[in-house]
């Protein structure tokens, strides 16, 4: 297992995978990130992040659902694992803790 | 719709099969989406780019990760074997690096020139109307960039497809502001100039800048010369004889090149349209049309020929030239600025390619020869399980490493050579300097790298294939005495020698030609002679004033300077019924013959106070011969010309009246004061600079405006032909490079040959063979090659040099002495390495070579 810390892009991709639930594959994730965050990420980068997450055990994947535009090829679909969910929650609570600890005067 | 097959093949090769389906699916889905938005081609291009994004280790097949280590190993072993064979590697790297430098220089030159006019957004749809005329010998057409003033209007009236037209006209004049006088060469241009030719203004209003009469747009350079730091817009300046002009703008310097080169643009409305168009101030006519067939326009232009009876003789006509054909096209005379004709480019490119190939041949020949030495290594590799492919790959990588090392050296050399190259007089004169910065240009670096890889494949391809195919049993056998690929290696050496012979003979011819120009009899006396350009000065008064000086012996007037310029020609009929033929003309006054020390052989000179416009002329001896004029009583005789009869009153001896590249043939010496441009001053007992002071002092009294400029004849003539000397130097340098590369290649071959025969030589010596016999034995086959190459290269060089010298008016004779000299030089150079190595081998003590037997 590589380090448990999540990179910013990794977190973003994982959240998107969770959002898309059962239809999370390369192109769909790229589009969702473009829509939600207005960030252009190349398709190869999306794939690279997904496989890295797979290696870390935060997502699982399966092949399903072909379409003619894909030349009859199936989609490589991803889903967040329990471990992934846990690490996401951890990251979020860690952030929340820090947010809570910010004294009011800091952001005035 | 699918992505490019090659890209898919790459992906299939590279990517982990477990991931492949998802990757290809995603890419294809995006392809479909893109195709709908931007079109198929762009979408496919994007597909390829995105696919390349997947070429990272993350997606690599698991089993091929071990290949990575293999590649690493190949590099290590390549570096080791290069280090091990120091001499041979040095030979390779030296040859490859020097020849690559030359090729890179050519690539730079090409890249720099190729961009000409590309900044024009209508590059593809802009055309120029040019005219054609017979050349002197009437065997082919010369192309001239100029055409009549009214062509654009006639075209527009007849072709609706023509979107817009534009005219240019040459003008050379001077800018005057207060006490400053600066000469410039400019163009009269129409108001659409900027949009038509893709130029921009730094200040001023583009649509109106050239609309009104007496408007002028200055180039940045001229503006800063005249006004310094001040803003020139709106200022009034005097232009030559044309009155005062208002500066309406300053043009921005182009980042690239254009064939339209100018210091200033004057509004076309400031000049009267000229009906003649064959003089110095010519019109250049352009049109733009996206949907038109140039041949249909040429057809229409052919019907216009009768409209120009005075300037366009029978058999002459018009052509349409694409803007993109102006640079690297066939040669066109009277071009606005400098462009590179295609033959110049091909000449340089072929030179560079021949030398590059020669270096590659060295690599091929020596690697194959060397492969014998490495047979054991290859055999063991094969036994250990290396396939044909991996052996080939190893040798290819070795070649690539060698080439890349040479490439790095070549780029360093290029950096050193570029300023020297740009400083050559020839290049400065034709504005051919390379002004591309190598480092800031990504595509250029890619070209360079691609070039290096390509050379690596050429050099390494055959040797590695050769090594790959040899079976291991054969390579491990001890008897590998016969050197492999002997026929191929010999023919490579042969080709190198042939090229060397051709190069060396050409270099000798070029340098002889350049000497020939220097030592030529001009037929007039060029020492103690100076010329000044008459501008507005009253030349008669100036002449009288100068003649009062005791050291100035004579002063004459002429329309051009003998031996420095090409003079205009007019058509005359030699007899009543003969075809008109072109004859050079030169306008002089009565003092010219005395001044230049040219003697009158028959008849009489012009008289003092000769009436102008009276059509009288003298001719030279060549012309007299054409007219079969042999006795003085035949004079005066009358010739017919377009502008009326010409009375011939005298015959002078032949002299070189024009630039020596063109033959000084039949000549008419006329008396036309309006054409006088130069005042020629002969002085005695004075150094050049003393004469200059005296003349300058007199000049100042008559012309207070123009800067004083004087040219001393002897200097001027040396200077103009020094250019040819520059070319001779370049060809000489390239020739010696070719020969050096061939020689070191041969050196390697002999070294190898001698190494193979070490034992044989030892045995022969023991049995009583003498040194001379052994030297003959060892060097026989090389001399055989040299003889064959001389038999082919000698005649080839002879024909080639005959061909190019025949186009020069005063060419040096390409005779057997030059060919022999070239052959002797090649044989001598080759013999140095052959004899050195073979004599050394023959002298080796057999005890040493046979010690282990």
């Amino acid at each position: 297992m590589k380090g448990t810390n999540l990179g910013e892009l990794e977190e973003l991709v994982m959240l998107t995978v969770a959002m898309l639930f059962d239809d999370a594959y390369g192109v769909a994730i790229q589009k969702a990130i473009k829509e939600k965050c207005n960030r252009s990420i190349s398709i190869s980068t999306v794939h690279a992040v997904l496989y890295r997450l797979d290696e870390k055990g935060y997502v699982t994947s399966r092949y399903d659902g072909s379409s003619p535009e894909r030349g009859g090829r199936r989609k490589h679909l991803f889903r967040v694992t329990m471990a992934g969910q846990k690490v996401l929650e951890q990251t979020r609570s860690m952030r929340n803790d820090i947010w809570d600890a910010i004294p009011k005067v800091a952001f005035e | 719709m699918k992505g490019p097959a090659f890209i898919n093949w790459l992906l299939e090769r590279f990517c982990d099969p477990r991931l492949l389906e998802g990757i290809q699916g995603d890419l294809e889905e995006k392809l479909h989406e893109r195709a709908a938005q931007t079109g198929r081609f762009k979408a496919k291009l994007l597909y390829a780019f995105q696919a390349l994004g997947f070429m990272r280790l993350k997606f690599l097949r698991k089993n091929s990760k071990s290949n990575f280590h293999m590649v690493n190993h190949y590099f290590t072993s390549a570096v080791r074997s290069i280090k091990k064979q120091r001499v041979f590697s040095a030979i390779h790297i030296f040859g490859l690096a020097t020849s690559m430098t030359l090729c890179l220089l050519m690539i730079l030159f090409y890249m720099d020139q190729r961009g000409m006019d590309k900044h024009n957004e209508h590059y593809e749809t802009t055309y120029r109307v040019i005219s054609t005329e017979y050349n002197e010998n009437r065997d082919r057409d010369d192309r001239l960039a100029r055409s009549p003033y009214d062509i654009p209007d006639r075209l527009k009236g007849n072709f609706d497809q023509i979107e817009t037209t534009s005219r240019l006209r040459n003008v050379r004049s001077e800018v005057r502001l207060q006490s400053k006088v600066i000469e410039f060469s400019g163009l009269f241009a129409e108001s659409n100039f900027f949009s038509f030719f893709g130029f921009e203004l730094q200040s001023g209003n583009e649509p109106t800048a050239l609309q009104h009469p007496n408007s002028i747009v200055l180039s940045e350079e001229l503006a800063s010369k005249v006004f310094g730091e001040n803003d020139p817009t709106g200022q009034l300046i005097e232009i030559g004889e044309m009155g005062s002009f208002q500066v309406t703008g300053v043009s921005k310097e182009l980042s690239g090149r254009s064939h339209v080169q100018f210091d200033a643009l004057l509004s076309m409305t400031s000049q009267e349209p000229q009906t003649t168009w064959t003089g110095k101030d010519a019109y250049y006519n352009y049109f733009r049309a996206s949907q038109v067939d140039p041949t249909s326009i040429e057809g229409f232009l052919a019907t216009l020929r009768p409209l120009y009876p005075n300037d366009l003789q029978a058999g002459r006509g018009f052509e349409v030239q694409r803007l993109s054909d102006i640079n690297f096209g066939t040669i066109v005379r009277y071009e606005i600025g400098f462009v590179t004709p295609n033959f110049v480019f091909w000449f340089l490119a072929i030179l560079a390619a021949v030398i590059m190939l020669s270096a590659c041949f060295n690599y091929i020949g020596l690697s194959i020869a060397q492969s014998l030495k490495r047979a054991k290594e290859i055999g063991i590799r094969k036994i250990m399980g290396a396939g044909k492919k991996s052996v080939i790959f190893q040798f290819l990588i070795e070649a690539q490493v060698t080439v890349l090392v040479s490439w790095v050296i070549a780029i360093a050399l290029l950096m050193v050579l570029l300023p020297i190259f740009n400083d050559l007089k020839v290049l400065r004169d034709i504005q051919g300097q390379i002004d591309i910065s190598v480092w800031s240009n990504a595509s250029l670096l890619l070209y360079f790298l691609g070039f290096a890889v390509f050379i690596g494949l050429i050099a390494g391809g055959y040797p590695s294939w050769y090594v790959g195919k040899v079976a291991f049993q054969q390579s491990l056998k001890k008897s590998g005495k016969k050197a492999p690929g002997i026929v191929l290696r010999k023919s490579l050496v042969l080709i190198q020698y042939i090229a060397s012979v051709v190069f060396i003979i050409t270099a000798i011819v070029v340098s002889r030609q350049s000497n020939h120009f220097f030592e030529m009899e001009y037929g007039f006396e060029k020492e103690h002679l100076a010329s000044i350009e008459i501008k507005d000065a009253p030349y008669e008064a100036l002449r009288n004033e100068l003649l009062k000086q005791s050291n100035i012996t004579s002063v004459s007037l002429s329309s051009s300077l003998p031996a420095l310029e090409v003079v205009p020609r007019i058509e005359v009929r030699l007899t009543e019924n003969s075809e008109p033929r072109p004859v050079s003309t030169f306008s002089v006054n009565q003092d010219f013959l005395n001044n230049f020390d040219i003697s009158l052989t028959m008849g009489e000179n012009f008289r003092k106070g000769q009436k102008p416009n009276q059509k009288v002329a003298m001719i030279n001896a060549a012309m007299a011969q054409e007219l079969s004029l042999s006795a003085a009583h035949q004079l005066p005789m009358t010739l017919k010309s377009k502008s009326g009869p010409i009375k011939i009153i005298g015959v002078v001896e032949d002299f070189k009246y024009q630039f020596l590249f063109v033959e000084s043939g039949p000549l008419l010496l006329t008396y036309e004061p309006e054409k006088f441009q130069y005042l020629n001053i002969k002085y005695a007992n004075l150094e050049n600079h003393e004469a200059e002071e005296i003349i300058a002092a007199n000049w100042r009294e008559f012309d207070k405006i123009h800067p004083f400029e004087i040219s001393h004849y002897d200097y001027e003539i040396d200077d103009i032909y020094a250019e040819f000397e520059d070319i001779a130097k370049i060809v000489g340098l390239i020739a010696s490079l070719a020969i050096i590369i061939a020689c070191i290649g041969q050196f390697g071959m002999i070294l190898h040959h001698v190494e193979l025969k070490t034992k044989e030589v030892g045995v022969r010596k023991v049995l009583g063979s003498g040194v001379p016999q052994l030297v003959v034995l060892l060097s026989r086959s090389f001399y055989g090659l040299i003889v064959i190459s001389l038999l082919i290269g000698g005649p080839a060089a002879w024909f080639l040099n005959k061909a190019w010298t025949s186009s020069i008016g005063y060419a040096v004779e390409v005779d057997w002495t030059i060919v022999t000299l070239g052959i002797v030089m090649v044989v001598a150079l080759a013999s140095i390495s052959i004899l050195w190595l073979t004599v050394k081998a023959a002298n080796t003590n057999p005890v040493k070579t046979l010690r282990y037997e």
Side-chain angles (χ1 to χ4, degrees):
Chain A
M1 183 88 104
K2 292 181 181 175
T4 46
N5 274 338
L6 269 189
E8 192 260 350
L9 190 65
E10 283 175 330
E11 188 188 352
L12 194 65
V13 170
M14 216 152 94
L15 285 170
T16 320
V17 170
M19 182 185 82
L20 293 170
F21 186 52
D22 218 18
D23 197 29
Y25 68 102
V27 178
I29 294 169
Q30 192 193 16
K31 268 189 197 157
I33 291 178
K34 175 82 193 160
E35 273 168 31
K36 295 269 173 196
C37 317
N38 197 23
R39 260 175 80 167
S40 301
I41 303 169
S42 75
I43 186 76
S44 49
T45 309
V46 175
H47 277 248
V49 172
L50 286 171
Y51 303 143
R52 209 179 312 135
L53 290 172
D54 198 5
E55 278 169 12
K56 286 180 181 175
Y58 295 154
V59 294
T60 56
S61 66
R62 66 195 161 89
Y63 276 103
D64 202 5
S66 65
S67 72
E69 298 96 68
R70 299 175 63 84
R73 293 187 188 85
R74 291 169 301 165
K75 293 170 180 170
H76 198 181
L77 293 170
F78 289 83
R79 194 184 267 194
V80 180
T81 60
M82 281 300 285
Q85 191 185 336
K86 223 173 168 181
V87 87
L88 276 176
E89 276 164 4
Q90 234 174 30
T91 318
R92 188 178 181 179
S93 68
M94 216 159 63
R95 294 226 170 127
N96 285 344
D97 285 350
I98 298 173
W99 270 106
D100 292 342
I102 296 172
K104 273 196 173 165
V105 279
F107 282 166
E108 260 176 8
Chain B
M1 185 171 168
K2 274 188 170 177
F6 170 68
I7 297 289
N8 276 330
W9 178 83
L10 264 185
L11 280 176
E12 281 154 28
R13 284 282 139 146
F14 191 89
C15 292
D16 193 331
R18 283 174 301 160
L19 308 179
L20 184 68
E21 191 174 345
I23 292 172
Q24 275 185 320
D26 276 7
L27 281 173
E28 201 159 315
E29 196 179 324
K30 286 189 74 74
L31 176 72
H32 275 272
E33 212 180 282
R34 283 274 168 181
Q37 293 167 4
T38 60
R40 296 170 73 101
F41 180 73
K42 272 196 175 171
K44 283 196 176 181
L45 208 67
L46 207 76
Y47 181 94
F49 269 115
Q50 287 176 335
L52 287 181
F54 282 97
M55 301 288 163
R56 23 179 142 169
L57 271 178
K58 190 101 220 153
F59 307 103
L60 186 65
R61 287 161 170 268
K62 293 292 172 278
N63 61 353
S64 62
K65 277 189 182 159
S66 62
N67 275 351
F68 244 77
H69 300 297
M70 233 19 233
V71 171
N72 232 335
H73 163 75
Y74 289 147
F75 270 104
T76 325
S77 67
V79 170
R80 275 182 198 153
S81 86
I82 288 172
K83 274 189 187 161
K84 198 178 161 197
Q85 311 166 20
R86 284 221 176 84
V87 180
F88 290 100
S89 305
I91 289 177
H92 292 153
I93 290 174
F94 175 82
L96 287 170
T98 42
S99 51
M100 276 175 116
T101 313
L102 209 65
C103 286
L104 293 182
L105 202 58
M106 272 309 300
I107 295 178
L108 264 184
F109 181 72
Y110 173 72
M111 292 282 289
D112 190 30
Q113 292 283 329
R114 191 191 61 151
M116 184 175 279
D117 288 313
K118 285 265 172 72
H119 64 276
N120 190 339
E121 55 178 315
H122 307 291
Y123 180 69
E124 300 291 338
T125 54
T126 306
Y127 300 83
R128 176 165 74 177
V129 176
I130 61 174
S131 56
T132 59
E133 67 170 28
Y134 283 141
N135 70 340
E136 205 148 350
N137 301 328
R138 304 205 151 221
D139 50 9
R140 69 188 151 80
D141 281 347
D142 273 354
R143 287 147 54 96
L144 288 71
R146 59 202 185 183
S147 54
Y149 179 78
D150 51 357
I151 290 273
D153 298 328
R154 291 184 196 278
L155 281 179
K156 258 192 282 191
N158 273 274
F159 292 91
D160 293 335
Q161 304 98 310
I162 288 182
E163 292 154 24
T164 168
T165 65
S166 196
R167 282 186 198 97
L168 297 173
R169 181 188 164 191
N170 262 339
V171 54
R172 293 186 65 87
S173 188
E174 66 214 4
V175 175
R176 283 200 299 268
L177 182 77
Q178 291 139 16
S179 60
K180 272 189 205 162
V181 180
I182 293 161
E183 296 196 350
F184 70 90
S185 92
L187 293 166
F188 285 110
E190 298 192 322
S191 54
N192 65 354
F193 176 86
F194 297 100
S195 60
F196 196 93
F197 292 103
F199 281 82
E200 278 175 43
L201 277 181
Q202 198 181 45
S203 61
N205 181 8
E206 265 176 38
T208 58
L210 292 170
Q211 204 168 28
H212 304 292
N214 290 28
S215 306
I216 186 168
V217 170
L218 304 177
S219 70
E220 270 177 63
E221 199 189 335
L222 187 62
S224 73
K225 266 192 210 162
V226 179
F227 293 98
E229 297 288 294
N230 304 332
D231 179 23
T233 335
Q235 303 279 348
L236 284 178
I237 48 178
E238 291 287 315
I239 303 295
E241 308 292 290
M242 289 179 281
S244 67
F245 277 65
Q246 187 178 33
V247 180
T248 49
V250 175
S251 70
K252 203 186 269 178
E253 203 174 322
L254 272 188
S255 55
R257 289 170 179 276
S258 172
H259 79 285
V260 183
Q261 292 154 20
F262 56 86
D263 298 328
L265 295 168
L266 285 66
S267 53
M268 190 59 91
T269 42
S270 331
Q271 54 101 46
E272 286 294 312
Q274 306 284 313
T275 46
T276 62
W277 47 279
T278 49
K280 269 190 176 172
D281 304 329
Y283 288 101
Y284 302 95
N285 296 307
Y286 298 81
F287 65 87
R288 189 160 81 212
S290 43
Q291 286 160 335
V292 76
D293 180 15
T295 50
S296 71
I297 299 218
E298 278 180 355
F300 167 73
L301 287 169
T303 65
L304 296 180
R305 284 208 320 230
L307 293 171
Y308 310 100
N310 285 332
D311 296 312
L312 207 59
Q313 268 82 24
R316 302 184 180 191
F318 299 108
E319 274 177 29
V320 171
Q321 183 188 30
R322 283 172 189 278
L323 189 63
S324 49
D325 288 341
I326 290 182
N327 208 13
F328 295 137
T330 49
I331 192 160
V332 172
R333 291 165 62 197
Y334 301 103
E335 190 57 75
I336 300 176
F338 173 74
V339 301
T340 314
N342 51 4
F343 74 88
V344 173
F345 171 72
W346 284 115
F347 175 71
L348 293 173
I350 288 172
L351 275 189
V354 167
I355 290 182
M356 191 71 245
L357 277 181
S358 185
C360 288
F361 286 176
N362 278 352
Y363 190 92
I364 296 172
L366 282 179
S367 319
I368 294 177
Q370 283 302 98
S371 69
L372 197 70
K373 267 190 167 179
R374 299 179 64 182
K376 234 178 239 171
E377 176 198 336
I378 300 158
I380 288 173
R381 273 179 193 279
K382 285 193 173 166
I383 288 175
M384 299 301 279
K388 191 173 160 186
K389 265 191 202 164
S390 53
V391 172
I392 290 182
F393 204 60
Q394 185 204 337
F395 273 72
L396 267 182
I397 288 207
E398 212 173 298
Q400 285 303 354
V401 171
T402 312
V403 167
L404 282 177
V405 171
S406 326
W407 181 74
V408 171
I409 297 175
I411 288 199
L413 270 177
L414 189 67
M415 294 291 129
V416 179
L417 279 181
L418 207 53
I420 302 173
F421 179 76
N422 276 339
D423 206 38
L424 285 177
K425 188 171 179 335
V426 192
L427 278 167
R428 272 187 284 129
D429 285 2
I430 60 178
Q431 293 174 7
Q433 292 116 318
I434 295 167
D435 56 355
I436 289 188
S437 154
V438 180
W439 300 116
S440 63
N441 201 328
S443 64
L444 192 71
L445 282 175
L446 266 181
Y447 268 103
F448 276 15
L449 199 64
F451 172 74
V453 171
F454 175 69
I455 293 298
L457 285 178
I458 290 187
Y462 181 76
S464 40
W465 174 79
Y466 179 85
V467 170
K469 76 171 185 176
V470 179
F472 71 88
Q473 296 94 328
Q474 204 185 327
S475 57
L476 282 180
K477 247 194 278 175
K478 195 104 210 275
S479 66
K481 284 291 176 223
K482 216 176 123 239
I486 194 74
V487 177
L488 175 86
R489 286 191 291 133
K490 281 196 170 171
S491 28
L492 294 185
V493 172
L494 189 68
I495 293 170
Q496 285 181 331
Y497 271 121
I498 294 173
S500 303
V501 173
V502 173
F503 274 138
I504 210 164
I505 291 176
T506 310
I508 297 171
V509 173
V510 174
S511 87
R512 285 253 176 118
Q513 181 70 55
S514 121
N515 282 338
H516 189 59
F517 282 143
F518 279 113
E519 290 157 6
M520 175 117 1
E521 284 294 322
Y522 289 93
F524 60 83
E525 190 48 58
K526 64 181 165 116
E527 305 294 326
H528 298 299
L529 194 59
S531 295
I532 52 179
E533 211 174 322
I534 310 165
K535 282 166 186 150
D536 308 327
Y539 56 78
E540 287 293 341
L542 177 58
R543 187 181 78 112
N544 292 337
E545 204 56 42
L546 282 170
L547 282 174
K548 283 181 192 160
Q549 302 288 335
S550 59
N551 286 327
I552 289 179
T553 48
S554 72
V555 176
S556 75
L557 291 156
S558 67
S559 61
S560 104
L561 294 173
L564 294 178
E565 297 173 3
V566 176
V567 304
R569 297 199 297 262
I570 60 165
E571 301 240 334
V572 293
R573 287 177 204 275
L574 298 186
T575 57
E576 193 65 41
N577 299 318
S578 68
E579 275 284 296
R581 58 154 296 165
V583 172
S584 304
T585 70
F586 203 103
S587 193
V588 298
N589 76 343
Q590 71 277 4
D591 300 315
F592 179 79
L593 297 184
N594 177 25
N595 198 202
F596 278 78
D597 211 4
I598 299 165
S599 58
L600 186 71
T601 53
M602 259 185 270
E604 52 194 43
N605 197 342
F606 300 127
R607 290 194 196 92
K608 196 171 180 196
Q610 180 94 28
K611 276 191 195 131
N613 300 330
Q614 196 183 352
K615 287 283 178 184
V616 290
M618 291 184 284
I619 55 176
N620 66 352
M623 180 81 177
Q625 204 178 359
E626 293 261 341
L627 291 167
S628 42
L629 185 82
S630 54
H633 66 80
Q634 286 171 278
L635 290 171
M637 71 183 289
T638 313
L639 276 188
K640 286 240 164 125
S641 83
K642 276 255 150 67
S643 51
I646 299 171
K647 194 168 92 176
I648 291 167
I649 56 168
V651 179
V652 302
E653 62 183 1
D654 281 333
F655 65 100
K656 304 289 185 292
Y657 56 82
Q658 59 185 345
F659 190 48
L660 293 177
F661 276 80
V662 188
E663 198 182 340
S664 291
L667 171 74
L668 274 178
L669 281 167
T670 59
Y671 181 74
E672 290 163 282
E674 74 276 8
K675 290 190 179 163
F676 290 157
Q677 266 197 64
Y678 296 99
L679 200 66
N680 310 304
I681 301 148
K682 181 98 183 171
Y683 44 86
N685 308 321
L686 282 181
E687 291 294 317
N688 281 348
H689 66 96
E690 293 167 342
E692 207 170 307
E693 280 166 26
I694 295 173
I695 298 166
N698 284 293
W699 162 270
R700 270 285 148 263
E701 289 178 23
F702 292 95
D703 192 329
K704 298 207 165 32
I705 310 165
H706 296 94
F708 176 72
E709 276 172 50
I710 188 164
S711 45
H712 294 283
Y713 238 88
D714 40 356
Y715 280 137
E716 205 71 5
I717 284 182
D718 285 354
D719 200 43
I720 200 159
Y721 298 110
E723 208 156 278
F724 204 76
E725 214 180 8
D726 263 4
I727 297 175
K729 276 184 200 153
I730 298 176
V731 176
L733 187 80
I734 293 175
S736 28
L737 200 61
I739 292 161
I740 291 173
I741 290 174
C743 278
I744 54 175
Q746 180 214 31
F747 179 86
M749 291 294 255
I750 302 167
L751 198 63
H752 175 74
H753 183 72
V754 169
E755 264 173 24
L756 280 183
K757 297 217 168 185
T758 320
K759 261 174 212 161
E760 184 187 334
V761 170
V763 172
R764 277 176 190 270
K765 271 196 108 171
V766 169
L767 294 177
S769 202
V771 171
Q773 280 164 296
L774 286 171
V775 170
V776 170
L777 174 87
L778 287 172
S779 57
R780 201 169 41 193
S781 59
F782 289 101
Y783 280 109
L785 278 181
I786 293 176
V787 169
I788 298 172
S789 70
L790 293 179
L791 288 179
I792 301 172
W798 188 79
F799 277 115
L800 202 75
N801 283 293
K802 265 282 185 226
W804 76 262
T805 48
S806 69
S807 65
I808 290 180
Y810 293 96
V812 70
E813 185 64 34
V814 184
D815 54 12
W816 65 271
T817 54
I818 292 181
V819 177
T820 315
L821 183 61
I823 287 175
V824 169
M825 283 172 83
V826 170
V827 173
L829 282 170
S831 295
I832 296 174
S833 54
I834 295 180
L835 292 181
W836 180 41
L837 288 173
T838 51
V839 168
K840 204 173 108 182
N843 275 319
T844 325
N845 190 344
V847 172
K848 271 188 192 161
T849 51
L850 298 177
R851 193 170 356 194
Y852 299 108
E853 296 303 308

